[in-house]
Amino acid sequence: MDRGMLTLYVEPADVLETCRQLKSHPDLDFNYLICLSSIDRKEHLEVAYNLRSLNLKHEFCLRTKLSRNDPRVPSVTSLWKAANWHEREAFDLMGIVFEGHPDLRRILLPEDWEGYPLRKDYEYFPADVPDHQGPPDHLLLQLEGSQ
Amino acid sequence: MAIPAPDKSGPALPRGLRTQELTVNMGPQHPSTHGVLRVILTLDGEWVVEAQPDVGYLHRGFEKLGELRTFINGVPATDRWDYLSSMSNNLIYSQAVEELLELEVPERAQYIRVIVCELNRIASHLVFVGTFGLDVGATSPFLYCFRDREKILDLFEEICGVRLTYSYIYPGGVSADTPPSWLGKVDAFCDYLPPMIAEIDELLTGNEIFILRTRNIAIITAEQAINWALSGPMLRASGVKWDLRKERPYQVYDKFQFDIPVGKAGDCLDRYLVRVAEIHQSVKIIKQCLTGIPDGPTKAKLPKTLKPRAGELYTCLESPRGELGLYMVSDGSDTPWRMKIRGPSFINLAIVSEIMPGWKIADAVAILGSTDIVMGEVDR
């Protein structure tokens, strides 16, 4: 328990089966996927599934740890269709690949974007973007008296 | 859920003439897409065969930005998520920080927060009513809604100096106490509003064309709504009685008596009616706040730099669009480690690709309008 949020860590391969149990078991009945977050802990990546049961009124957080080099986890869109866009966003911004997702492509960034911005090692001041504002030098009008 | 099939029973086409499905861009620049939303429609004549929303035109990287700002400095950025209900955004961020710090907020501050959040809910729903009417062709109610919304914005300008992106609710309380006679003005506004809403509602629901364009359009069943994790008026219009102000009360909501309007059919008309009913309930809540508000401080005592214990939590509240949630991870330093914003408009928009096919283009506009999305929250 962390600040009142009941948490369970599972292996990536077990995620789909665990979620199926969580959804279909009558005492658990987690029919509402509130939020699917991707977190970058320096050594590994993590996916957190926040689940809720509207009938039994309880909440739960399922988490799984993934490696940085090849983060793959099964998709849960077959259980909760809400996961569709959540997983696309996690793929877009953190680079986690959801196996079995019907349409895994970038959602917020343009399709040809390279890199995963939410990762802690993302360079957001790349070397090839100039610092100064304004037109390129060959278009700049040379005014008399100025440098 | 019965989707009416396209009517292909006309006379057979002459030989040599063929039909083709057309892919049309309901582009990012469009009067009816409520911001920069692009919907790629595949049409068979006038019937929508496929609808793919393409979002990201307003992506400003708030989740990454949140990692760079301290817990107090991050509040002004939160205004810009759902810019029509900034108070809710400020509140969710402050609530997350307060829960991480395990901080008690003074009661007067909580009452003021509820008053401004409910006023913001009314303002946001007024925008919905006006723009939804405008989308389906009713141009008069739009101006009446905005006239009444101006009165709310004047109240907000008095209390925090800003009309749209307030940054009023800070971790620990609110940024300033109410000016003298402000509460009296809120009371006068609450008396002024209900007959005005009734008149605006009459303009729309008394109009047969409006009813024809919204009744039984894009019905979302309760199971569908739960599976797609809809929230707010979209979920309640489908018959699911779920409101976070009752189920997971935050601030002082557990002290008030109010109803949760729930729809029956889950069509566009129900989504409209639920929001209008919510305006009346918000007026009721504000009235109760005004009678019960205590005196006292409006800010808790905070250290100069806020450094919560390392940990994470998910907190949520009922914004005018649905369940606004924040999954905040703290690593013990003075900036958040990760801030995941669960924007209700983002989730609610996803269902459009499933409910729009099978309807005509004219209905597509009504369906998009009834989801009441704000692109600032979809793209963050």
Side-chain angles (χ1 to χ4, degrees):
Chain A
M1 290 273 287
D2 188 359
R3 310 294 173 92
M5 187 168 73
L6 190 61
T7 312
L8 175 68
Y9 277 91
V10 291
E11 290 295 307
D14 300 329
V15 161
L16 190 55
E17 193 45 47
T18 318
C19 288
R20 194 170 286 136
Q21 295 277 335
L22 288 168
K23 186 176 178 202
S24 49
H25 195 285
D27 287 334
L28 301 169
D29 192 29
F30 284 106
N31 53 0
Y32 196 86
L33 172 71
I34 313 171
C35 186
L36 200 161
S37 328
S38 53
I39 309 164
D40 183 346
R41 322 260 185 203
K42 279 270 173 53
E43 313 86 41
H44 58 266
L45 301 180
E46 224 172 84
V47 178
Y49 301 79
N50 273 300
L51 304 169
R52 179 189 284 156
S53 167
L54 294 186
N55 306 321
L56 303 174
K57 313 249 167 103
H58 45 228
E59 296 188 14
F60 179 68
C61 180
L62 184 72
R63 290 203 231 152
T64 171
K65 296 190 181 168
L66 307 165
S67 74
R68 287 192 83 95
N69 318 333
D70 188 27
R72 311 185 79 89
V73 71
S75 161
V76 294
T77 42
S78 52
L79 300 170
W80 301 289
K81 294 218 185 90
N84 195 321
W85 276 30
H86 274 125
E87 289 178 351
R88 277 181 67 186
E89 189 193 344
F91 166 68
D92 188 6
L93 295 173
M94 198 70 92
I96 298 174
V97 176
F98 291 87
E99 291 159 345
H101 192 279
D103 183 21
L104 196 66
R105 54 192 165 94
R106 287 194 182 268
I107 185 168
L108 293 177
L109 298 171
E111 295 87 36
D112 50 357
W113 194 272
E114 282 169 19
Y116 303 109
L118 271 179
R119 290 203 183 179
K120 293 290 177 180
D121 53 0
Y122 182 76
E123 270 186 50
Y124 43 90
F125 290 124
D128 57 346
V129 174
D131 273 338
H132 64 269
Q133 303 274 346
D137 289 335
H138 65 277
L139 292 180
L140 199 61
L141 286 175
Q142 295 295 337
L143 295 172
E144 271 185 280
S146 64
Q147 81 283 14
Chain B
M1 172 185 73
I3 304 178
D7 184 11
K8 295 212 164 102
S9 60
L13 293 168
R15 231 162 45 116
L17 204 65
R18 58 185 173 89
T19 62
Q20 185 185 338
E21 284 181 1
L22 192 65
T23 306
V24 170
N25 218 5
M26 192 164 163
Q29 266 189 315
H30 191 284
S32 294
T33 52
H34 292 282
V36 276
L37 168 66
R38 175 182 175 222
V39 186
I40 306 167
L41 296 167
T42 311
L43 303 170
D44 175 19
E46 215 178 302
W47 298 91
V48 175
V49 170
E50 203 188 312
Q52 283 291 336
D54 181 14
V55 298
Y57 286 90
L58 200 53
H59 178 66
R60 292 154 292 175
F62 277 122
E63 296 184 356
K64 186 92 185 178
L65 191 69
E67 296 169 19
L68 301 175
R69 302 278 177 270
T70 63
F71 287 101
I72 295 270
N73 281 355
V75 174
T78 65
D79 287 324
R80 275 89 184 158
W81 304 342
D82 173 3
Y83 37 81
L84 287 180
S85 62
S86 297
M87 293 290 189
S88 304
N89 304 342
N90 293 149
L91 181 55
I92 188 77
Y93 188 82
S94 306
Q95 208 170 289
V97 174
E98 283 152 16
E99 280 181 33
L100 275 174
L101 289 167
E102 281 144 3
L103 190 67
E104 267 294 316
V105 180
E107 211 178 336
R108 186 180 170 85
Q110 291 192 29
Y111 270 84
I112 299 178
R113 283 177 173 187
V114 170
I115 295 177
V116 292
C117 279
E118 290 303 314
L119 277 175
N120 212 337
R121 190 183 308 272
I122 298 174
S124 173
H125 283 335
L126 281 171
V127 173
F128 164 76
V129 170
T131 53
F132 188 53
L134 203 62
D135 282 344
V136 296
T139 48
S140 314
F142 177 73
L143 289 170
Y144 296 133
C145 291
F146 272 67
R147 172 200 66 189
D148 294 330
R149 184 173 168 256
E150 277 305 300
K151 299 202 189 314
I152 302 183
L153 297 187
D154 285 341
L155 285 171
F156 282 146
E157 197 180 358
E158 242 189 271
I159 198 172
C160 58
V162 188
R163 282 160 54 90
L164 196 69
T165 50
Y166 313 112
S167 301
Y168 179 60
I169 299 178
Y170 270 85
V174 289
S175 71
D177 202 349
T178 63
S181 80
W182 189 79
L183 292 170
K185 289 186 192 164
V186 175
D187 199 22
F189 176 75
C190 289
D191 293 327
Y192 158 84
L193 191 69
M196 297 292 140
I197 297 290
E199 185 184 42
I200 297 169
D201 189 31
E202 183 67 30
L203 276 175
L204 285 169
T205 49
N207 188 335
E208 196 187 322
I209 302 176
F210 179 80
I211 302 286
L212 274 177
R213 282 202 66 177
T214 51
R215 178 167 281 157
N216 294 331
I217 303 288
I219 296 178
I220 303 179
T221 60
E223 294 79 44
Q224 234 183 334
I226 295 175
N227 205 334
W228 282 92
L230 301 184
S231 49
M234 286 202 72
L235 181 64
R236 292 194 278 280
S238 298
V240 182
K241 194 163 184 156
W242 182 265
D243 187 329
L244 285 171
R245 293 174 290 173
K246 289 267 193 201
E247 304 293 337
R248 280 187 59 160
Y250 50 97
Q251 306 301 307
V252 283
Y253 275 107
D254 43 1
K255 297 197 177 155
F256 303 127
Q257 296 272 11
F258 57 99
D259 301 317
I260 311 288
V262 173
K264 284 191 268 299
D267 54 8
C268 291
L269 185 61
D270 267 349
R271 294 194 269 276
Y272 164 82
L273 291 172
V274 160
R275 289 187 177 104
V276 171
E278 276 186 13
I279 298 180
H280 289 287
Q281 294 304 318
S282 290
V283 170
K284 210 163 139 186
I285 297 176
I286 298 177
K287 284 274 191 195
Q288 290 172 55
C289 273
L290 291 171
T291 50
I293 187 167
D295 289 320
T298 49
K299 274 193 248 207
K301 274 248 167 275
L302 289 177
K304 217 153 188 215
T305 45
L306 297 178
K307 279 201 185 177
R309 248 189 323 123
E312 53 205 76
L313 50 73
Y314 174 78
T315 178
C316 51
L317 56 78
E318 185 79 22
S319 94
R321 275 160 193 90
E323 176 179 340
L324 176 61
L326 197 64
Y327 188 100
M328 196 177 270
V329 179
S330 159
D331 63 337
S333 72
D334 56 352
T335 61
W337 178 256
R338 168 83 168 102
M339 199 173 84
K340 156 84 183 169
I341 307 161
R342 191 247 189 231
S345 301
F346 181 70
I347 318 288
N348 290 351
L349 188 57
I351 201 177
V352 155
S353 60
E354 185 159 296
I355 59 172
M356 214 185 261
W359 299 100
K360 295 205 186 98
I361 295 188
D363 302 321
V365 171
I367 296 169
L368 264 184
S370 73
T371 52
D372 194 16
I373 47 172
V374 169
M375 292 315 288
E377 196 167 54
V378 173
D379 296 337
R380 285 156 279 134

